[in-house]
Amino acid sequence: DSGVTQTPKHLITATGQRVTLRCSPRSGDLSVYWYQQSLDQGLQFLIQYYNGEERAKGNILERFSAQQFPDLHSELNLSSLELGDSALYFCASSADSLYGYTFGSGTRLTVV
Amino acid sequence: DQQVKQNSPSLSVQEGRISILNCDYTNSMFDYFLWYKKYPAEGPTFLISISSIKDKNEDGRFTVFLNKSAKHLSLHIVPSQPGDSAVYFCAASEQFNTDKLIFGTGTRLQVFP
């Protein structure tokens, strides 16, 4: 257990629907990152939050949004889902340590 | 612009031999580098790191070499074991700020008996 919790582990939904992925960071970590990994490709950075504020944005679609709550957990909202959104979505947290990020085990999203 | 590049998407090595995974970077401000290992359906996990003040860091079977002039680092695994079969990502940061990592695209290592 890395200390970063992602729920749900698996999600199957239809095109056009909306889903919410949840992430609880490791205790004490203020930064939360969201990454997408499609078809065994690299890690595509989506967005970073630090202590409730958006800090950096990557290749995140306008249909996607995220937020970090006062208790530091984060949610990634994906709407108007398309088949191409099927991927593994990873959350990571960081305390700016020598070990970098701690990743959760991911949510596998399948859009049918 | 891909600042961290792993040009070999895959590598196949026989058990017991050496595995060498390569990573190149373009940003001369990068001063801290990390390797992560990822098994299928799991999140990446930290493996080993190196700062720019060193040219080598060793941890058991894993050694990372840094060539700053060539902007190149490599991960050596000796001897390779079947359990090392995974995707390996290198990552880099500026000013030792691991709060912002730039990841490479990954190299899939397969170690066969």
Side-chain angles (χ1 to χ4, degrees):
Chain A
D1 182 12
S2 67
V4 177
T5 303
Q6 288 189 248
T7 56
K9 290 195 183 303
H10 302 277
L11 199 48
I12 301 175
T13 190
T15 54
Q17 295 299 304
R18 172 190 167 94
V19 297
T20 297
L21 312 184
R22 182 188 168 102
C23 171
S24 294
R26 199 176 52 165
S27 178
D29 288 357
L30 299 179
S31 280
V32 170
Y33 309 81
W34 287 97
Y35 283 84
Q36 179 192 57
Q37 186 185 28
S38 304
L39 293 173
D40 249 4
Q41 294 181 2
L43 296 167
Q44 299 296 319
F45 170 64
L46 296 178
I47 197 164
Q48 176 198 358
Y49 278 83
Y50 179 84
N51 202 19
E53 301 287 328
E54 181 184 306
R55 176 166 276 195
K57 225 170 186 177
N59 299 322
I60 187 166
L61 299 173
E62 285 191 12
R63 300 183 285 110
F64 296 180
S65 65
Q67 54 184 328
Q68 186 180 28
F69 295 87
D71 67 352
L72 300 179
H73 92 270
S74 178
E75 292 181 356
L76 179 67
N77 301 296
L78 316 176
S79 61
S80 302
L81 284 168
E82 302 175 358
L83 295 177
D85 297 326
S86 296
L88 267 170
Y89 290 85
F90 289 104
C91 167
S93 70
S94 168
D96 196 16
S97 78
L98 293 177
Y99 304 107
Y101 301 171
T102 301
F103 284 85
S105 56
T107 293
R108 178 172 291 282
L109 173 66
T110 303
V111 182
V112 297
Chain B
D1 178 31
Q2 190 76 24
Q3 297 185 68
V4 178
K5 302 177 185 179
Q6 294 177 256
N7 292 318
S8 298
S10 63
L11 176 67
S12 189
V13 173
Q14 188 173 29
E15 182 178 5
R17 303 279 189 147
I18 183 172
S19 296
I20 301 176
L21 294 91
N22 294 305
C23 180
D24 297 294
Y25 60 96
T26 57
N27 187 343
S28 58
M29 300 300 291
F30 286 151
D31 52 19
Y32 192 69
F33 304 89
L34 308 90
W35 284 93
Y36 285 80
K37 178 178 180 179
K38 182 186 178 305
Y39 291 119
E42 294 183 13
T45 55
F46 171 80
L47 184 59
I48 193 170
S49 63
I50 189 168
S51 74
S52 58
I53 61 174
K54 290 185 168 184
D55 53 19
K56 176 183 174 181
N57 189 27
E58 196 170 352
D59 183 2
R61 296 185 297 112
F62 302 90
T63 303
V64 56
F65 295 92
L66 176 62
N67 182 334
K68 290 185 288 295
S69 61
K71 296 191 182 65
H72 176 84
L73 64 154
S74 60
L75 174 68
H76 292 213
I77 306 174
V78 185
S80 301
Q81 300 174 354
D84 297 327
S85 298
V87 177
Y88 291 79
F89 292 96
C90 68
S93 69
E94 291 184 36
Q95 298 177 335
F96 298 100
N97 179 11
T98 59
D99 208 34
K100 184 176 181 181
L101 295 179
I102 308 297
F103 283 89
T105 51
T107 296
R108 176 180 299 281
L109 172 66
Q110 183 178 7
V111 180
F112 60 92

